[in-house]
Amino acid sequence: MRAVVLRNKALTVENIEAPRPAAHQVLVTTIACGICGSDLHFVHHGERMAALSAEGSSGSSSASSSSASSTLDFSRNIVMGHEFVGRVEELGPDAYTSAKVGELVVSIPVMMTAVPPTDDSFRTIGYSNEFNGGYAEQMLLSGPLLLRVPNALSVEFAALTEPMAVGLHAVNKSGIVPGDAAVVHGCGPVGLAVIAALRLKGIETIIASDFSPKRRDLATVMGATQVIDTRTYDPMDALLEAVGRPGVRTAMIAGSGSGLVQFECVGVPGMINTSMKRAPRASAITVVGACMESDSIQPMFGISKELSVSFVLGYTPEEFAGSLRSIAEGEIDVAPLITGVVGLDDVATAFSDLANPELHAKILVRP
Amino acid sequence: MRAVVLRNKALTVENIEAPRPAAHQVLVTTIACGICGSDLHFVHHGERMAALSAEGSSGSSSASSSSASSTLDFSRNIVMGHEFVGRVEELGPDAYTSAKVGELVVSIPVMMTAVPPTDDSFRTIGYSNEFNGGYAEQMLLSGPLLLRVPNALSVEFAALTEPMAVGLHAVNKSGIVPGDAAVVHGCGPVGLAVIAALRLKGIETIIASDFSPKRRDLATVMGATQVIDTRTYDPMDALLEAVGRPGVRTAMIAGSGSGLVQFECVGVPGMINTSMKRAPRASAITVVGACMESDSIQPMFGISKELSVSFVLGYTPEEFAGSLRSIAEGEIDVAPLITGVVGLDDVATAFSDLANPELHAKILVRP
């Protein structure tokens, strides 16, 4: 089968052996797969990402599904793509799914190697030498983890299940409740997913900031109540205007119904400290943007204002299913996010194009 | 009256004008006052501490009681000391207190300039050009904030009300519940207060680490269930031995009853990142140690394990009152913490002596 292969930091389209479904596995034809910002980063910095993840997990007392990344071999084939929709082609033995051949399915990008699973029986799909992701004509999924795509839902929209689940998870973990205000720093796909989830949660003050006019437009479409060009205005000043001047509104405790959560969705060094510096007393910061580099903070900003900084990643299976349901029921309109569709031959070009926020938000690959 | 005056980074004993009680104020004779690590730092780095606090509060939408620190003049007299016990000498007009002349009182180190107060009517006692702290023969306190010291309680023990309240607050804010485990990094007065509060909360696994044998001994006395010399053994390895090997105990979510909170009580650069690096997945870190310098973190440690980092400071008036009650009722035994008592003339020497953890934990000044 044809696939976009990452090997030694280069992406090439090659013919590789098609996978065969073993026990509990299902072979699908990849119908669509979104390109994630993490994939762009992984091409050049994958080894560092894996090393950091391994360094942080050494000796920690719980196994995580990403622990397999420490054994990644970057000189061997890696086929990325974890925002996929597939059509069932063949069920392996004991597939543990009600999905039938020909049906469209989505799944969290995880392979369960044993049923029932133990802590050690989860493998990553996409960031793996073992299980290819969606930048390939076919892929193996885990039978017990399949979710059928409702008939009425566009295949392209279903491919947004994964990135929108990231936003739902961040908002759920933040503890924000209706009545609280939100400031979203950065309106790339992650920030836009957070904005959609905030709207879904009933948050009425959503102030979003980005340098890019195109992304600010998308932020408005997804539900931001105010958009700010960070180059000319500070989103925290906008917040003060929206909710009251200093001293007027003293309870900013997130989860209180009159609090604030800042969502850091930029993921570059300095953003966490900037968020801490301008944070009101006792407010919360949820870090969703994945900054891969070392970063500097002034702990005194956190201490003197009793801030809480929560880091979030991924989603639960329930949130993933909720994301699919919200898209299918029209609660989240993902249509504006899809700014391009390419075939396998144009994936490398799409990776470059995504660097321009005026051109693109989400590009789908249709293998 | 005699006082230890800080001016231009130098401590000298001088005769200064004794204060007179205005409306809502009470004049007390200082009976005892603990020396806090923050005071040591403030002598040399006070301007930077005040600047950082002002930088972090600029534009934040709530006033805090420390906002007055931005107007501190370090070339004018500052009399520190915020862990005080006083004997009431004279009540000002409308003192709003039931305390009588001759009675012993403690108070949070805050002057309320209006009754009822607004956001702008709180001033710091001790880190102030206006209201001297306890390193002086007399001081003004706020009538409505006075708490009477129970008759049976030793004056010296009552002076520990403030530092022990810091520990109670940190433990309350951490969300830890019985069944969770705690790791306490650093067994200076802050760490020891945290240990005492954890014990009071019913936490059964309290692993404490410090370089100093003397401080490890004090940690055991205060309630640590295991003490670790950080130079020879990692407290997180001890945790794994105490609660189970990797994979055996997967739920480490703080507040779940089978989770973990690390309390960072060292306050030097690198400790937050070290705590993040060894943290189990989904666990919590409560930063109590005040690191005044810029610090480096790897955000990926936080993201890949979904950590939450909460910064805490001070205590609520209720926690301060609870601290006094717990000391008075013998729930917290502070006697082992008091390692020295000096007069005003020896405060500067005591500041130096406190740098040696083998010699001292808490030194009280008796003016």
Side-chain angles (χ1 to χ4, degrees):
Chain A
M1 67 174 180
R2 300 180 76 231
V4 179
V5 173
L6 172 66
R7 197 172 53 241
N8 296 324
K9 301 191 178 182
L11 289 173
T12 51
V13 179
E14 300 184 8
N15 273 301
I16 62 171
E17 194 177 354
R20 305 287 314 150
H24 324 318
Q25 295 178 347
V26 173
L27 178 72
V28 304
T29 294
T30 316
I31 304 298
C33 181
I35 298 177
C36 173
S38 300
D39 295 347
L40 275 61
H41 204 88
F42 192 80
V43 172
H44 295 289
H45 307 288
E47 289 194 71
R48 175 159 170 71
M49 288 162 76
L52 269 178
S53 178
E55 193 182 352
S57 66
S58 68
S60 87
S61 63
S62 100
S64 86
S65 59
S66 64
S67 61
S69 64
S70 57
T71 58
L72 267 176
D73 181 347
F74 289 84
S75 67
R76 288 176 54 215
N77 288 357
I78 296 171
V79 178
M80 298 186 294
H82 57 272
E83 305 177 357
F84 45 75
V85 183
R87 189 180 62 226
V88 176
E89 292 296 332
E90 182 184 348
L91 306 180
D94 301 324
Y96 289 100
T97 177
S98 60
K100 296 176 182 59
V101 170
E103 286 187 318
L104 294 180
V105 292
V106 294
S107 166
I108 61 172
V110 168
M111 183 61 77
M112 197 189 280
T113 58
V115 180
T118 68
D119 278 353
D120 294 328
S121 52
F122 295 97
R123 297 287 180 276
T124 302
I125 292 175
Y127 296 125
S128 161
N129 297 119
E130 192 177 3
F131 296 108
N132 68 266
Y135 305 157
E137 290 177 327
Q138 294 193 310
M139 56 191 305
L140 294 176
L141 301 179
S142 191
L145 299 177
L146 294 188
L147 297 177
R148 285 190 288 185
V149 175
N151 284 332
L153 183 59
S154 148
V155 168
E156 296 190 347
F157 294 176
L160 274 292
T161 300
E162 203 272 355
M164 301 317 282
V166 171
L168 290 171
H169 179 66
V171 168
N172 286 342
K173 291 271 283 188
S174 75
I176 197 168
V177 297
D180 286 342
V183 169
V184 180
H185 301 285
C187 300
V190 168
L192 294 169
V194 166
I195 290 167
L198 288 166
R199 184 61 165 257
L200 196 60
K201 191 90 169 185
I203 306 303
E204 289 169 1
T205 302
I206 306 172
I207 298 172
S209 67
D210 202 289
F211 291 155
S212 155
K214 163 88 174 178
R215 294 219 159 148
R216 292 199 298 275
D217 287 348
L218 284 172
T220 302
V221 170
M222 298 310 287
T225 54
Q226 189 175 356
V227 291
I228 304 292
D229 181 350
T230 325
R231 277 175 299 209
T232 57
Y233 197 56
D234 189 299
M236 297 306 287
D237 289 329
L239 173 78
L240 294 182
E241 291 201 355
V243 304
R245 298 237 146 254
V248 172
R249 185 186 167 106
T250 53
M252 295 301 286
I253 300 164
S256 69
S258 59
L260 167 71
V261 180
Q262 293 182 73
F263 292 87
E264 200 311 88
C265 304
V266 178
V268 302
M271 282 306 302
I272 297 174
N273 196 51
T274 298
S275 304
M276 290 172 65
K277 180 176 172 179
R278 296 300 317 273
R281 190 178 149 63
S283 65
I285 298 165
T286 298
V287 180
V288 202
C291 173
M292 308 288 176
E293 299 161 65
S294 180
D295 203 356
S296 286
I297 61 169
Q298 284 287 356
M300 275 305 287
F301 292 156
I303 292 164
S304 63
K305 295 183 287 188
E306 297 211 276
L307 304 181
S308 88
V309 181
S310 297
F311 298 87
V312 300
L313 177 73
Y315 35 76
T316 65
E318 291 74 16
E319 287 163 338
F320 190 87
S323 177
L324 177 62
R325 195 168 52 241
S326 290
I327 294 170
E329 292 179 1
E331 294 173 349
I332 298 179
D333 179 13
V334 295
L337 298 179
I338 302 170
T339 53
V341 178
V342 299
L344 290 178
D345 293 319
D346 291 321
V347 167
T349 307
F351 271 48
S352 307
D353 289 349
L354 281 164
N356 184 345
E358 293 308 308
L359 284 176
H360 285 296
K362 182 62 70 182
I363 295 179
L364 299 185
V365 181
R366 304 217 42 173
Chain B
M1 66 175 181
R2 298 181 77 231
V4 179
V5 173
L6 171 65
R7 197 171 54 239
N8 296 324
K9 301 189 178 182
L11 289 173
T12 50
V13 178
E14 300 184 8
N15 273 302
I16 62 172
E17 194 177 353
R20 305 286 314 147
H24 324 316
Q25 295 179 346
V26 172
L27 178 73
V28 305
T29 294
T30 316
I31 303 300
C33 181
I35 298 177
C36 172
S38 299
D39 294 347
L40 276 60
H41 204 87
F42 192 80
V43 172
H44 295 289
H45 306 289
E47 289 194 72
R48 175 159 170 72
M49 289 162 76
L52 269 178
S53 177
E55 193 182 352
S57 66
S58 68
S60 88
S61 63
S62 99
S64 87
S65 59
S66 63
S67 61
S69 63
S70 56
T71 59
L72 267 176
D73 182 348
F74 290 84
S75 68
R76 289 176 53 214
N77 288 358
I78 296 171
V79 178
M80 297 187 295
H82 57 272
E83 305 177 355
F84 45 76
V85 182
R87 189 180 62 226
V88 176
E89 292 297 331
E90 182 185 347
L91 305 181
D94 300 324
Y96 288 100
T97 178
S98 61
K100 296 177 181 60
V101 171
E103 286 186 318
L104 293 181
V105 292
V106 294
S107 166
I108 62 173
V110 167
M111 183 62 76
M112 197 189 281
T113 58
V115 180
T118 68
D119 278 354
D120 294 327
S121 52
F122 295 98
R123 298 285 180 277
T124 302
I125 292 175
Y127 297 126
S128 161
N129 296 119
E130 193 177 5
F131 297 108
N132 68 265
Y135 304 156
E137 289 177 328
Q138 294 192 310
M139 57 190 304
L140 294 176
L141 300 179
S142 191
L145 299 177
L146 294 187
L147 297 175
R148 284 189 288 187
V149 175
N151 283 333
L153 183 59
S154 146
V155 168
E156 297 191 347
F157 294 176
L160 274 292
T161 300
E162 203 274 354
M164 302 317 280
V166 170
L168 290 172
H169 179 67
V171 168
N172 286 341
K173 291 271 284 187
S174 74
I176 198 168
V177 297
D180 287 341
V183 169
V184 180
H185 302 285
C187 302
V190 168
L192 294 168
V194 165
I195 291 166
L198 287 166
R199 184 62 164 257
L200 196 59
K201 190 91 170 182
I203 306 302
E204 288 169 2
T205 303
I206 306 172
I207 298 172
S209 68
D210 201 290
F211 291 154
S212 155
K214 164 86 174 178
R215 293 215 161 152
R216 291 199 299 275
D217 288 347
L218 284 173
T220 302
V221 171
M222 297 310 288
T225 54
Q226 191 175 354
V227 291
I228 304 290
D229 181 350
T230 324
R231 276 174 300 208
T232 58
Y233 198 55
D234 189 299
M236 297 306 287
D237 290 329
L239 173 78
L240 293 182
E241 292 200 354
V243 303
R245 298 240 144 250
V248 172
R249 184 186 167 106
T250 55
M252 293 303 285
I253 300 165
S256 70
S258 59
L260 167 71
V261 180
Q262 293 181 72
F263 292 86
E264 200 309 90
C265 305
V266 178
V268 302
M271 282 305 302
I272 296 174
N273 197 51
T274 298
S275 304
M276 290 173 66
K277 180 175 172 178
R278 297 299 317 273
R281 188 177 150 65
S283 65
I285 298 165
T286 298
V287 181
V288 201
C291 172
M292 308 288 175
E293 297 162 66
S294 181
D295 203 356
S296 286
I297 61 168
Q298 285 286 357
M300 275 306 287
F301 293 155
I303 292 164
S304 63
K305 295 183 288 188
E306 296 211 277
L307 305 179
S308 92
V309 181
S310 297
F311 298 87
V312 300
L313 177 73
Y315 35 76
T316 65
E318 291 74 17
E319 287 163 339
F320 189 87
S323 177
L324 177 62
R325 194 169 53 240
S326 290
I327 294 170
E329 292 178 2
E331 294 173 349
I332 299 178
D333 179 13
V334 295
L337 299 180
I338 302 170
T339 52
V341 178
V342 298
L344 290 178
D345 293 319
D346 292 321
V347 167
T349 307
F351 271 46
S352 306
D353 289 347
L354 280 165
N356 184 345
E358 292 309 308
L359 283 176
H360 285 296
K362 183 62 71 182
I363 296 179
L364 299 184
V365 181
R366 305 219 37 176

